[in-house]
Amino acid sequence: MSQLQPAFGLSKRSATTAALPAAKPAVQVAKLIDVSKCIGCKACQVACMEWNDLRQDIEENVGVYENPHDLSPNAWTLMRFTEWENPERGQLEWLIRKDGCMHCQDPGCLKACPAPGAIVQYSNGIVDFISANCIGCGYCVKGCPFNSPRISTADNKAYKCTLCSDRVAVGQGPACAKACPTKAITFGTKDDMKKLAAERVEDLKERGYSKAGLYDPPGVQGTHVMYVLHHLDKPALYAGLAENPRISPLVEVWKGAGKYAGLALLGITAAFGVVHHLLAGANRVTEEDEENAEKLRGGGA
Amino acid sequence: MTEHRDGEAHMQVPRYSGSARINHWIVAVSFVLLMISGLALFHPSLFWLTGLFGGGPTARWVHPWLGVVLVVGFLGLFLRFFAANLPERTDWVWLARLRHVLAGREEYLPEVGKYNAGQKFVFWAQAVLVMVMFVTGIGLWPAGLAYFEELLGFKATIDQRRMAAVIHAGSAVLTIAIWIIHVYAAIWVRGTISAMTRGTVTGGWAWRHHRKWLRKEIGKEPGGPQPAE
Ligand code: HEM
Ligand code: SF4
Ligand code: SF4
């Protein structure tokens, strides 16, 4: 269960047209994941299970490093492993990306969600699913450009990384960041994380990774989980990280113009009925019609 | 049997058998409940409609199952009525004179069989839209989709599921608009509703709106009149 953290103000609330109470402008937070420092030990996965009390069922070993096979209602973060032969450097690279919700500044999940308050964005940028309001429709799955949310078949609620909003609310960093032995995961204000990333990128460039950079995709107005990548020009190398993530135009149509066009069409159809009845009046059977029918029967067909 | 019932001034013509009426009302009730539970998720200003079902999770759960009821029920109506809804040449004449239809000037229209072109349009449009909504509805239904993916051995992509959402919502709007026209027509053309409640219409109603059908029904007498479907 993921619960609302009253310590934070809200900047967005799903399926809510009324204005939100003004929240004090809060400092934007971010988690920085330095892929170049990750050794794939999965301490973060364990810490996440531990803090959030999640236990994924034991699965079959199919000969890959990923365990479990995919994100799930009980696995909110997953190390994804890619072996890549770098043609320029002539070396094998092991690219390990910690997958999970990216905490988009413009969250597609929240845009798609039909249940008021089932998804919120706190004023510090964290996107949280509020289980008590969730109806389990799975619209968030269609809204998300990163394929992060998962619907539980046990309680029909949507789950994903909370960025440890409950820990952040009491001044702690996320459990994964605390557990990471190489400090590949760090947490702080978004500004600080960008500065730290800039240092790391410079270091990587000096070491010959000329395309190193910070993944903070503008298509979703930036994210509150960012990656330092050695190959920012090829994000798809990292187990299919989205090249240009943005809310799908299909979702925009469905949740935007489509709603108003739809409601308008229904309104016009109903109004047509009312106006037509006022102008044309009821279409009544006359006595003459009844007599004609009697005559038809009387005289045979 | 075009009989006078006791105490009734007008001749009564049977139009729908008891089983056809029950079938129709199963479809109608499931349709209305689908419309309400669907519209609740369509726009935040309508989310309160979930309260009629006991809350959001229940409305979300019951909607696809009602869809299954609707599809099975509609299949029944389809098989019963489809022969009477096949297009004829006079349907085009009827459509071309739609302004006379709307003005209620039936004397300018060709004689109509059991169904006029407008009714046939409603029949075929709803048949197509119900099928489209069933297929896209399964794409939207986490549990149902998982079942069919397992059964048929495929995996729907996220983009396909997005497409399902757009098409489902779009067809829902069309189907509700057509349903409004259907209900309005039944109200505007007085004397129609008894066809689906008591199963009969008056001779005058049949003479005025479906004369070709009336001729046929009267022609069937005395050789054992059967309720028409
Ligand atoms: C024929 C079988 C149908 C199936 C299997 C089906 C299934 C679904 C599912 C799974 C959803 C997602 C939300 C939910 O679970 O409530 C949905 C949404 C919806 N359904 Fe259906 N449905 C069907 C028929 C209909 C019909 C006949 C109508 C209209 C009368 C309708 C109107 C809607 C609407 C308006 C939505 C909300 C779309 C949105 O949020 O934009 N559905 N349907
Ligand atoms: S990554 Fe997906 S689930 Fe996470 S905030 Fe963005 S849209 Fe929502
Ligand atoms: S399943 Fe996702 S979209 Fe649906 S109510 Fe829950 S959080 Fe919102």
Side-chain angles (χ1 to χ4, degrees):
Chain A
M1 292 297 268
S2 182
Q3 283 164 2
L4 191 72
Q5 300 301 321
F8 306 131
L10 294 187
S11 66
K12 295 192 181 103
R13 188 174 188 274
S14 59
T16 303
T17 42
L20 296 171
K24 273 182 266 146
V27 35
Q28 299 294 297
V29 298
K31 177 160 83 182
L32 183 67
I33 301 171
D34 186 343
V35 175
S36 70
K37 274 185 168 182
C38 173
I39 56 169
C41 69
K42 302 181 184 170
C44 51
Q45 276 187 221
V46 175
C48 180
M49 287 169 63
E50 201 57 34
W51 177 257
N52 295 300
D53 197 15
L54 304 171
R55 297 294 180 272
Q56 170 70 26
D57 288 342
I58 292 172
E59 296 172 333
E60 207 171 316
N61 185 343
V62 295
V64 297
Y65 299 112
E66 280 88 356
N67 179 19
H69 300 328
D70 193 10
L71 294 171
S72 85
N74 292 313
W76 299 350
T77 188
L78 174 67
M79 308 312 293
R80 295 195 187 268
F81 295 76
T82 309
E83 286 167 356
W84 184 58
E85 242 170 285
N86 185 332
E88 278 163 41
R89 298 162 67 99
Q91 67 183 28
L92 183 81
E93 291 182 12
W94 212 14
L95 309 175
I96 309 166
R97 176 168 69 89
K98 180 183 183 298
D99 194 10
C101 170
M102 298 294 285
H103 295 269
C104 311
Q105 180 58 29
D106 183 18
C109 57
L110 190 148
K111 177 152 213 168
C113 178
I119 304 183
V120 298
Q121 184 169 48
Y122 299 119
S123 44
N124 62 10
I126 294 179
V127 178
D128 221 352
F129 285 9
I130 310 306
S131 303
N133 296 334
C134 172
I135 64 170
C137 62
Y139 285 11
C140 47
V141 177
K142 288 132 201 135
C144 173
F146 292 99
N147 190 13
S148 300
R150 295 292 184 272
I151 311 293
S152 163
T153 47
D155 65 0
N156 291 304
K157 305 278 180 191
Y159 291 100
K160 68 162 190 70
C161 158
T162 66
L163 211 74
C164 283
S165 55
D166 50 349
R167 293 173 58 92
V168 175
V170 293
Q172 298 274 315
C176 56
K178 183 151 185 170
C180 178
T182 65
K183 296 243 174 331
I185 310 173
T186 43
F187 179 81
T189 70
K190 181 145 180 176
D191 286 343
D192 284 351
M193 292 304 105
K194 279 180 164 170
K195 272 184 220 137
L196 181 58
E199 286 168 26
R200 288 295 305 145
V201 167
E202 202 180 331
D203 180 53
L204 284 167
K205 284 190 170 155
E206 272 167 23
R207 285 163 46 201
Y209 292 100
S210 61
K211 297 285 163 47
L214 177 68
Y215 185 84
D216 179 22
V220 291
Q221 296 175 17
T223 51
H224 295 269
V225 171
M226 306 184 292
Y227 294 115
V228 170
L229 303 178
H230 351 47
H231 311 289
L232 184 64
D233 56 327
K234 298 187 193 76
L237 274 185
Y238 299 84
L241 179 59
E243 199 96 28
N244 253 320
R246 60 176 185 130
I247 299 180
S248 158
L250 285 171
V251 174
E252 300 276 9
V253 169
W254 172 34
K255 287 285 154 173
K259 300 275 130 154
Y260 297 99
L263 292 176
L265 181 68
L266 294 184
I268 289 169
T269 312
F272 163 81
V274 173
V275 171
H276 178 261
H277 208 286
L278 288 174
L279 294 180
N283 185 339
R284 283 182 213 281
V285 178
T286 61
E287 241 355 272
E288 201 187 332
D289 291 325
E290 299 292 358
E291 281 159 23
N292 280 327
E294 296 284 359
K295 266 188 238 154
L296 185 66
R297 188 172 58 154
Chain B
M1 59 224 103
T2 56
E3 285 303 321
H4 285 275
R5 287 195 189 176
D6 284 347
E8 257 162 7
H10 301 306
M11 159 185 154
Q12 298 290 319
V13 190
R15 197 160 160 88
Y16 292 109
S17 67
S19 74
R21 278 176 278 152
I22 291 171
N23 193 338
H24 172 268
W25 289 115
I26 290 173
V27 169
V29 169
S30 56
F31 186 96
V32 169
L33 294 176
L34 276 160
M35 176 172 72
I36 297 171
S37 52
L39 284 177
L41 304 199
F42 185 72
H43 193 270
S45 63
L46 301 172
F47 191 78
W48 60 273
L49 290 169
T50 57
L52 300 174
F53 298 84
T58 325
R60 193 270 313 153
W61 170 81
V62 80
H63 179 95
W65 287 110
L66 285 167
V68 174
V69 174
L70 177 80
V71 166
V72 173
F74 198 92
L75 187 68
L77 286 188
F78 185 85
L79 295 175
R80 285 166 194 277
F81 299 156
F82 111 95
N85 279 285
L86 293 173
E88 295 168 81
R89 216 149 27 119
T90 47
D91 291 336
W92 300 107
V93 181
W94 190 94
L95 283 173
R97 299 186 189 162
L98 199 60
R99 69 199 165 84
H100 295 305
V101 174
L102 289 174
R105 289 192 292 263
E106 259 129 316
E107 56 279 20
Y108 293 98
L109 301 174
E111 284 193 9
V112 169
K114 178 139 191 198
Y115 297 113
N116 64 39
Q119 293 170 303
K120 290 179 185 177
F121 165 76
V122 170
F123 177 85
W124 290 105
Q126 297 298 45
V128 170
L129 289 168
V130 164
M131 271 334 287
V132 169
M133 276 191 296
F134 185 60
V135 173
T136 55
I138 285 168
L140 273 179
W141 184 9
L145 183 63
Y147 175 81
F148 279 100
E149 283 177 338
E150 176 88 4
L151 189 75
L152 306 173
F154 74 106
K155 185 96 186 102
T157 66
I158 298 277
D159 251 334
Q160 286 166 339
R161 294 166 68 177
R162 288 174 182 143
M163 194 58 103
V166 176
I167 297 175
H168 192 85
S171 334
V173 167
L174 292 180
T175 201
I176 294 170
I178 293 170
W179 171 78
I180 293 174
I181 293 171
H182 172 75
V183 173
Y184 173 67
I187 296 170
W188 174 53
V189 180
R190 295 292 199 274
T192 305
I193 291 175
S194 70
M196 266 308 163
T197 51
R198 300 163 30 164
T200 59
V201 289
T202 69
W205 183 94
W207 170 267
R208 186 178 177 86
H209 306 299
H210 298 276
R211 199 167 302 165
K212 206 155 79 186
W213 171 70
L214 178 65
R215 290 186 201 286
K216 220 173 112 204
E217 290 300 300
I218 286 178
K220 276 191 201 160
E221 288 182 355
Q226 284 132 7
E229 293 264 52

